[in-house]
Amino acid sequence: MADLGFEVNDDTALSRSRLPRWLRPLLMLSVPLLLIAGGVWLYIAGQAYEATDNAYVRQDKVSIAPEVGGRVIEVAVRENVRVREGQLLFRIDPDPYRIALRQADAALAKARVEVDGLGAEVSVADVDIAAARDEIAFAKAEFDRQSELLDRGFTTRARYQAAQLALAKTREQMNTATSEARKARVALGSGGAVSDRPATVEAALAAREEAVLNLSRTEVRAPASGVISQTERLQVGAMLPAGLPTLSLVADGHSWIEANFKETQLRKVLPGQKTTVTIDAYGKALSGHVESIGAGTGSEFALLPAQNANGNWVKVTQRVPVRIAIDSKSDRPLIAGLSAEVKIDVRADANADAR
């Protein structure tokens, strides 16, 4: 045991004797110096970039709802199927709307018949006006003759008054015929409409156009090309009210990143700066640039905004949405809602060309 202890101490002494005395303190100081240098480098590098992992892929989404209500009789799509713009998605029972169109056609025909009748009334009124003019002329001549004879004493006052009354009656008939003709012409008028058609016919035509439009709306078609989602609520036989969102369509061709940066990170962030986007699901970096900075923090557009004017106020660092445009093409399709990491290069020299 004594020999073993002597040999160990001797080896230790020999290993120490091989190192120069001036190198020992240098080795002891090198480790903290390297740590300090690494920290300084990380600090300087961090000043050149702003990064966040609170970022997500966004795409245009359309909530599809029927514009007319009714019973679903056909479903032409299923979950996650790709559709083209104008492709049929589902069909609502068109029979009630076909009946409404037939009623509108009948109302239009009735309006035209009424207009023809009003035209005939106008013709009759014009004839009555012409006859009333002739009767007025005759009654006026008779009244003048009786008045002259009365002055000479060759007629009685009764005949004079009868001629006077006949003249008044013919004038009343003239006024009545004129009023009837004016009434019929007003009914035939357009009422200030753009077209010259009678107002009753115009109203019937508008009702028919509405019926045709509602019938066409029983076929719900894709407003854009994309992928259909949330089809579980759409079943054959279901009653759908007008305006109730039934499907969702994620449109093709436009994806961007919504990165929520802390407000303290926006001091050097400007539109046009280069960015690096890494999609968590794929792990591949994509190039992009800052397209715009949000007009308000996320809490400003919340359904129930925070009420800070109270005694329990606590300052919380807010986040501002920054829209990142993707410049490079991804090898795999981007899915709305995927998480991402975004790093913005805020160095002035690196973004000189972008500006």
Side-chain angles (χ1 to χ4, degrees), residues 13-327:
L14 289 174
S15 62
R16 289 178 178 174
S17 63
R18 294 193 188 116
L19 294 176
R21 288 182 176 274
W22 60 269
L23 189 57
R24 294 174 187 173
L26 183 60
L27 290 176
M28 296 177 63
L29 292 175
S30 61
V31 175
L33 287 175
L34 287 175
L35 293 176
I36 294 173
V40 171
W41 181 85
L42 289 175
Y43 175 79
I44 296 174
Q47 296 297 310
Y49 298 94
E50 293 293 350
T52 183
D53 58 358
N54 188 350
Y56 305 92
V57 177
R58 299 300 186 200
Q59 293 176 331
D60 292 325
K61 295 184 288 292
V62 182
S63 293
I64 299 175
E67 297 182 80
V68 294
R71 181 173 58 88
V72 178
I73 62 172
E74 181 185 356
V75 178
V77 293
R78 61 183 185 275
E79 186 73 12
N80 297 328
V81 69
R82 186 170 296 278
V83 297
R84 302 181 308 275
E85 182 178 356
Q87 182 176 337
L88 178 67
L89 302 179
F90 61 94
R91 183 180 283 111
I92 293 175
D93 186 5
D95 288 343
Y97 300 97
R98 289 198 185 102
I99 295 173
L101 178 58
R102 291 177 58 186
Q103 291 175 339
D105 288 335
L108 177 60
K110 181 179 178 181
R112 285 172 174 165
V113 170
E114 291 177 352
V115 167
D116 292 340
L118 291 173
E121 291 181 6
V122 170
S123 299
V124 172
D126 290 339
V127 172
D128 292 342
I129 290 173
R133 287 197 184 101
D134 294 338
E135 291 179 359
I136 288 175
F138 178 79
K140 182 68 168 56
E142 179 63 19
F143 173 74
D144 292 341
R145 190 174 70 84
Q146 291 295 331
S147 178
E148 183 179 355
L149 291 175
L150 182 62
D151 292 340
R152 295 179 179 180
F154 293 118
T155 188
T156 62
R157 181 165 292 278
R159 290 182 176 179
Y160 169 78
Q161 291 177 347
Q164 187 179 24
L165 180 61
L167 178 60
K169 286 183 177 181
T170 55
R171 286 175 175 170
E172 289 178 0
Q173 292 175 356
M174 178 66 176
N175 293 335
T176 301
T178 303
S179 299
E180 291 296 329
R182 186 181 298 112
K183 181 180 178 180
R185 286 191 173 89
V186 169
L188 285 173
S190 63
V194 177
S195 66
D196 294 332
R197 289 187 290 263
T200 53
V201 175
E202 192 69 26
L205 284 172
R208 186 185 185 281
E209 290 177 1
E210 183 181 9
V212 171
L213 180 61
N214 288 337
L215 180 59
S216 67
R217 286 173 172 172
T218 57
E219 293 184 352
V220 181
R221 299 183 178 274
S225 298
V227 178
I228 291 295
S229 182
Q230 296 181 326
T231 60
E232 63 275 1
R233 291 173 293 182
L234 185 62
Q235 301 293 333
V236 174
M239 293 296 298
L240 297 181
L244 178 67
T246 307
L247 299 173
S248 293
L249 173 66
V250 181
D252 287 338
H254 188 204
S255 300
W256 71 93
I257 303 296
E258 183 180 281
N260 301 298
F261 282 89
K262 296 179 181 178
E263 55 186 325
T264 54
Q265 294 179 284
L266 299 179
R267 294 166 185 167
K268 297 181 181 180
V269 175
L270 296 172
Q273 290 176 335
K274 298 178 181 179
T275 64
T276 301
V277 179
T278 303
I279 306 299
D280 291 356
Y282 305 147
K284 185 176 180 181
L286 303 174
S287 62
H289 66 274
V290 177
E291 184 174 342
S292 62
I293 300 174
T297 63
S299 61
E300 284 296 309
F301 299 104
L303 184 61
L304 296 175
Q307 299 296 324
N308 296 325
N310 55 57
N312 298 324
W313 174 76
V314 177
K315 185 173 183 179
V316 178
T317 302
Q318 301 296 313
R319 289 187 177 266
V320 179
V322 177
R323 186 170 178 137
I324 307 297
I326 302 175
D327 297 332

